[in-house]
Amino acid sequence: MASWKSPALARTLVVRRCCHGGWWRFFAGDRYVGEHRAKIEIQNSDLIRQLGIATPEIVGVAFYTLGPFLRMDFITVLVENSEDLIAFLARRPSPQQHARAIAAVRTLLEQCAASGLRHRDLNARNILLSHKDDSVIAHVLDVEDVTWSPDQVARTRVANQARLARSLRKRARHGDLPMTAEQVSSLISEVEARA
């Protein structure tokens, strides 16, 4: 096992188990072949942060062997006073809180589009909202499955918005998001609106 020293270790850290998403999760779960998955997420995370887009800082990865496979945990710096977008919406925030959060999500989507960052798994749980006083910052999570097309800003914007909209509708159908179909459609329109 590798070890390292980092100033980040003086901060509060979060350990997150890395798992496959989509239908592949039913077959592979949290098992991977090689370290490629971790390298991609670290590279993407570093580039995203360099572009000024908020995402938690990865300070390490722990690997565990399981026969021919690896399991891995990402170690990131805790984003203080944060919750994912679904948890935020589910607690029925005040109109002012709601407006600030939606503005932060729109800012995140615009930053991603301007950089050509298409997040293929931009579900509502992969947007983390951090609250400080009256401000909200939206952070993007789980950045392994992203592609970069800086010359296709409009297409990137539409793709990210569509993926997030699909996620919001799914969470409402599954009961995680206590909203009617009409309320979800209104929320999606808010998110997709441009100043």
Side-chain angles (χ1 to χ4, degrees), residues 71-99:
R71 284 185 168 142
M72 60 189 87
D73 291 340
F74 284 96
I75 304 163
T76 60
V77 176
L78 174 70
V79 177
E80 301 282 350
N81 302 313
S82 63
E83 58 192 330
D84 68 51
L85 180 58
I86 292 298
F88 171 80
L89 293 168
R91 69 176 171 82
R92 300 183 188 274
S94 72
Q96 295 83 5
Q97 292 170 326
H98 178 92

Side-chain angles (χ1 to χ4, degrees), residues 96-156:
Q96 295 83 5
Q97 292 170 326
H98 178 92
R100 286 192 292 266
I102 296 306
V105 172
R106 282 198 302 261
T107 297
L108 175 66
L109 291 173
E110 282 302 312
Q111 290 174 320
C112 289
S115 301
L117 188 168
R118 180 179 176 188
H119 194 313
R120 295 182 182 274
D121 191 21
L122 190 62
N123 67 68
R125 294 204 184 277
N126 281 338
I127 295 179
L128 188 69
L129 302 174
S130 63
H131 310 272
K132 184 174 183 182
D133 301 324
D134 287 337
S135 66
V136 180
I137 298 173
H139 306 251
V140 64
L141 304 178
D142 197 9
V143 296
E144 179 258 338
D145 195 10
V146 304
T147 58
W148 300 92
S149 302
D151 58 333
Q152 297 183 9
V153 171
R155 184 177 292 181
T156 299

